[in-house]
Amino acid sequence: MASDKRRKKVRDRIAGLQQDERRRLYKYAARLRRAAAEAPDKTKHRPDCATWDDEDGLPPAVEKRRRRHKGSLRQWAEALVEDGDLGERETLTGPEPDAEGMVLFATAARCRVLVAGGDEDETLDCGVSPDLADAQRSELAVGDRVQLVTTRDDPTVVGLLPRTSVLSRPDSGPGGRHVQRVIAANVDCAVVVVAARQPALRPRLIDRYLVAVEHGGAEAILVVTKIDLLEPVERRQLDDLLAPYRALGTPVICCSSNEGIGLDVLRAALHDHLVVLVGQSGVGKSSLLNALEPRLSIATAETGASQKGRHTTTASTLHRLDEATRVIDTPGVREFGLWELSVDELRGYFHEFDRFAGRCKYSDCSHLHEPQCAVREAVARGDISTARYDSYGRLLESLR
Ligand code: GDP
Ligand code: ZN
């Protein structure tokens, strides 16, 4: 009885460990077990006493937990070895993942995962394993590739695979701390959506988005919606404004969902990619998706009914445009991606500076106030767009 009680206590504690702690515990227990098997006189040949801080650099959360539990790694491991039945594989490593999928929608505790099947995809509503590190649990994002255990009653996410790209925005977390919220992971391409008007087009916002997209490791496509609202003269002004982006090689597509302009070009640009749509609320992202694929019938500002819910939504969702193309729709994101961006990186993202920057007097020239700055000279000559240079200055200011 007493031993059952103790066993349960050990089990409960182990269940509360993080993956990383658990792995070390079982590694150590295995060493103890081997040592005991090799030498009949166990006590002499046990590996030296080990504590949780054997390995350097424990994350703060683990460190806190360790202190709370007090016991040494060795005590725990001994308990494990003595209770032989805890040595079962299931308890040692947890069940092996048996499937992989892509997160469609995530909250901290649950998520919806798309699992590619032979003929048809399957969507699973999954729990998230407590073994997933705390940071990863709260960070699971649309587009994440995850490992699943599907054999249980409640399919569970047990692992997060490395990301190829991460678009994120700063947010306030617990206690007003600045935290990173991932908007979308693993996208090949981010469609930066702005409206020709309503709301007014702000080039500085475009620049901000482009920097963020490149920083996150994705390619950008710039889409200007609602061009049906422009008079011909305004249309020419828009073209002038867009010229620097075209010169940089960024694909620029002008569209109207209402009049079906530019949709084929956009559809072709998106084909076969995992893309994310970013842009302020009201620029016409939902209308654009519906125009590309009417089957989606996403609620827009126009269709009203679910308007309230729509605007309070904070999670991104994934839509399937066609067989090979998937689009992540984000809630109106005002700001994103300038997470941990250094001044050096920012400079590097204004590619029109590249050609001139080498000729600045100072190699670490910020191009703001240094003498003999080749970038500022290029701006003065009109070789670099003044609007883009101004954006750079503002962005730099915001980093300091
Ligand atoms: P979202 O918040 O970015 O998803 O924007 P919506 O798709 O809900 O569109 C916001 C408003 O812009 C709605 O009133 C739409 O009818 C309008 N809108 C969207 N696309 C166009 C367009 O191509 N032309 C015009 N004139 N209005 C549009
Ligand atoms: Zn310079």
Side-chain angles (χ1 to χ4, degrees):
M1 190 65 200
S3 133
D4 273 356
K5 235 179 173 173
R6 198 171 76 99
R7 207 169 279 173
K8 181 175 179 321
K9 201 167 150 195
V10 172
R11 272 216 185 96
D12 285 351
R13 279 184 161 188
I14 290 172
L17 289 177
Q18 291 186 344
Q19 214 165 15
D20 159 60
E21 296 173 297
R22 198 187 283 215
R23 214 182 44 241
R24 283 167 43 202
L25 173 65
Y26 286 113
K27 232 164 85 186
Y28 188 70
R31 263 166 68 203
L32 278 182
R33 206 183 287 130
R34 258 200 320 275
E38 279 164 12
D41 182 2
K42 293 191 215 169
T43 48
K44 252 193 206 159
H45 292 90
R46 277 180 178 167
D48 290 341
C49 184
T51 60
W52 291 107
D53 29 21
D54 282 11
E55 279 163 54
D56 295 333
L58 283 183
V62 178
E63 189 57 36
K64 214 164 101 193
R65 200 188 299 240
R66 178 186 70 75
R67 276 203 295 272
R68 207 170 56 227
H69 289 318
K70 298 227 172 54
S72 72
L73 181 62
R74 173 171 181 156
Q75 283 164 346
W76 282 47
E78 278 174 353
L80 261 185
V81 173
E82 276 154 28
D83 294 345
D85 65 333
L86 283 172
E88 296 299 322
R89 189 151 178 278
E90 168 90 359
T91 359
L92 277 177
T93 57
E96 286 288 303
D98 55 73
E100 267 181 41
M102 185 199 286
V103 175
L104 299 181
F105 182 87
T107 65
R110 301 199 65 80
C111 60
R112 212 155 48 233
V113 178
L114 183 77
V115 180
D119 297 329
E120 231 174 272
D121 293 348
E122 192 184 1
T123 305
L124 296 177
D125 188 20
C126 299
V128 181
S129 163
D131 280 354
L132 218 59
D134 286 347
Q136 291 188 335
R137 282 168 64 82
S138 58
E139 227 194 58
L140 276 184
V142 183
D144 263 332
R145 289 184 307 127
V146 290
Q147 295 176 310
L148 301 169
V149 172
T150 60
T151 46
R152 290 175 176 168
D153 286 347
D154 187 21
T156 307
V157 172
V158 295
L160 173 63
L161 297 170
R163 291 167 171 154
T164 56
S165 70
V166 184
L167 294 186
S168 57
R169 70 184 161 89
D171 200 357
S172 47
R177 226 162 26 93
H178 227 42
V179 294
Q180 179 190 29
R181 291 256 185 268
V182 179
I183 301 170
N186 300 319
V187 296
D188 315 306
C189 150
V191 181
V192 172
V193 185
V194 294
R197 62 156 48 149
Q198 294 172 14
L201 197 157
R202 291 163 48 209
R204 214 167 277 135
L205 193 63
I206 299 180
D207 296 325
R208 217 180 154 83
Y209 278 149
L210 292 183
V211 167
V213 170
E214 187 170 348
H215 190 56
E219 300 277 329
I221 294 182
L222 178 57
V223 165
V224 184
T225 57
K226 311 194 194 183
I227 54 158
D228 56 286
L229 295 178
L230 296 186
E231 301 295 332
V233 52
E234 292 170 314
R235 183 63 213 263
R236 281 193 292 279
Q237 286 164 355
L238 176 67
D239 280 335
D240 289 344
L241 189 149
L242 296 173
Y245 304 104
R246 293 203 162 102
L248 284 169
T250 307
V252 180
I253 303 173
C254 292
C255 297
S256 164
S257 307
N258 286 16
E259 297 187 2
I261 302 168
L263 299 179
D264 289 339
V265 182
L266 180 58
R267 209 178 278 116
L270 303 187
H271 186 68
D272 215 7
H273 289 302
L274 175 61
V275 304
V276 61
L277 291 191
V278 293
Q280 285 174 297
S281 165
V283 292
K285 295 187 296 296
S286 312
S287 306
L288 196 59
L289 285 176
N290 288 336
L292 288 170
E293 178 49 65
R295 191 178 42 83
L296 293 176
S297 58
I298 301 163
T300 65
E302 225 68 321
T303 52
S306 56
Q307 190 175 342
K308 210 165 160 219
R310 204 172 76 90
H311 284 291
T312 51
T313 285
T314 53
S316 309
T317 41
L318 187 142
H319 306 285
R320 199 167 169 182
L321 216 54
D322 60 51
E323 272 308 302
T325 314
R326 298 202 164 99
V327 183
I328 297 171
D329 190 13
T330 60
V333 181
R334 266 177 299 123
E335 188 189 6
F336 80 110
L338 304 183
W339 180 260
E340 289 184 345
L341 178 69
S342 71
V343 170
D344 270 346
E345 284 167 327
L346 178 66
R347 244 186 320 234
Y349 295 147
F350 280 76
H351 296 285
E352 59 269 69
F353 296 180
D354 295 352
R355 206 150 55 91
F356 306 100
R359 283 184 249 143
C360 295
K361 178 167 179 206
Y362 301 103
S363 63
D364 62 346
C365 185
S366 72
H367 317 310
L368 288 185
H369 38 64
E370 291 86 343
Q372 295 170 48
C373 168
V375 169
R376 272 190 303 145
E377 286 163 14
V379 175
R381 278 197 311 274
D383 289 342
I384 289 176
S385 142
T386 314
R388 287 273 297 168
Y389 177 76
D390 287 347
S391 281
Y392 164 76
R394 298 271 184 134
L395 278 168
L396 197 63
E397 204 54 47
S398 73
L399 294 184
R400 287 183 165 163

